[in-house]
Amino acid sequence: MTTRAASPQDTAVDPAPNRWATLVAKRLSPATLGGVLLGTAGLVDSGWWGLMWAVITAAVVLVLPMTVLIVLARRGIVDTRYVRNREHRFPVYIGVCVLILGTLAAHYVLGPVLGIPFSVTLTAAFLFLGVVVVMLVTLRWKVSAHTAMAAVFAVAIPLLVAGWLVAFTWVAPVAVAWSRIRTGDHTYWQTVVGAWIGVLIGGFYGLAWHAMI
């Protein structure tokens, strides 16, 4: 009588406990929240015209990088679409920075001709700032980009629309921080530092918005 060797499926840890945490991380990803912020900025400033340019910008600086990461993850070049390995994050951040810089340059050159709202350009510039800050911190320590973007969202949306919304938008960074800790992708302090980075960037973004828009 032979005994069948245990397969990876037999010994795998039940993913059920992390199912909700994984779902939160996917639904409240930096690309999703960044897209909502871009769309809100464009709509508040320039109506449907601004929303259109926000969607176009988001497709280039947010959707395209995430699509590339999904492809790279499926090919085994990176571990997952969220790049858990800190050493692999730097080239990813560099690529995103180059993409956003190219988009900002296009906005600067073509904006007056095409009528691209400055609000969309300003928001993209602060998304670039966020990527740069997280990238620099990641050179020494793995910080949570998810929580940073969620905190930017929590601070910026009320500053653009209505202050009372902060009571609802702060659900995002709290939920995201919980999800990143629960899945084991980040520690408590990595999410806390990410949140503070997001608060600072979101606050400066709000000041710039009210000064320039």
Side-chain angles (χ1 to χ4, degrees), residues 206-213:
L207 291 175
W209 172 276
H210 288 289
M212 304 171 72
I213 303 300

Side-chain angles (χ1 to χ4, degrees), residues 27 50 66 69 135 200 212:
R27 294 294 179 265
M66 182 54 68
L69 284 176
M135 177 182 68
L200 292 174
M212 304 171 72

Side-chain angles (χ1 to χ4, degrees), residues 111-200:
V113 178
L114 299 178
I116 302 175
F118 181 70
S119 57
V120 177
T121 305
L122 178 67
T123 307
F126 271 86
L127 291 178
F128 170 74
L129 175 62
V131 173
V132 170
V133 172
V134 171
M135 177 182 68
L136 292 176
V137 175
T138 300
L139 288 175
R140 302 292 298 179
W141 192 58
K142 184 183 175 184
V143 70
S144 175
H146 274 73
T147 312
M149 184 64 243
V152 171
F153 172 86
V155 173
I157 291 295
L159 291 174
L160 298 185
V161 183
W164 58 266
L165 285 174
V166 72
F168 299 95
T169 57
W170 267 102
V171 172
V174 172
V176 168
W178 167 81
S179 73
R180 304 310 282 160
I181 296 170
R182 187 68 182 82
T183 58
D185 289 301
H186 287 286
T187 66
Y188 170 81
W189 285 111
Q190 288 168 351
T191 61
V192 168
V193 173
W196 275 110
I197 290 173
V199 167
L200 292 174

Side-chain angles (χ1 to χ4, degrees), residues 23-192:
L23 183 64
V24 168
K26 287 182 178 180
R27 294 294 179 265
L28 299 179
S29 68
T32 300
L33 296 180
V36 173
L37 179 57
L38 271 168
T40 302
L43 187 61
V44 168
D45 178 46
S46 304
W48 294 108
W49 180 255
L51 179 61
M52 180 192 74
W53 279 109
V55 171
I56 293 173
T57 303
V60 176
V61 303
L62 298 171
V63 178
L64 179 59
M66 182 54 68
T67 302
V68 171
L69 284 176
I70 291 173
V71 172
L72 293 178
R74 288 178 177 175
R75 293 185 177 181
I77 298 174
V78 296
D79 47 17
T80 69
R81 70 177 69 182
Y82 301 124
V83 195
R84 290 170 175 156
N85 190 316
R86 184 174 67 87
E87 287 72 20
H88 293 170
R89 288 188 168 197
F90 185 68
V92 171
Y93 286 137
I94 288 293
V96 173
C97 284
V98 170
L99 192 60
I100 299 178
L101 274 178
T103 303
L104 291 173
H107 277 217
Y108 178 77
V109 174
L110 300 176
V113 178
L114 299 178
I116 302 175
F118 181 70
S119 57
V120 177
T121 305
L122 178 67
T123 307
F126 271 86
L127 291 178
F128 170 74
L129 175 62
V131 173
V132 170
V133 172
V134 171
M135 177 182 68
L136 292 176
V137 175
T138 300
L139 288 175
R140 302 292 298 179
W141 192 58
K142 184 183 175 184
V143 70
S144 175
H146 274 73
T147 312
M149 184 64 243
V152 171
F153 172 86
V155 173
I157 291 295
L159 291 174
L160 298 185
V161 183
W164 58 266
L165 285 174
V166 72
F168 299 95
T169 57
W170 267 102
V171 172
V174 172
V176 168
W178 167 81
S179 73
R180 304 310 282 160
I181 296 170
R182 187 68 182 82
T183 58
D185 289 301
H186 287 286
T187 66
Y188 170 81
W189 285 111
Q190 288 168 351
T191 61
V192 168

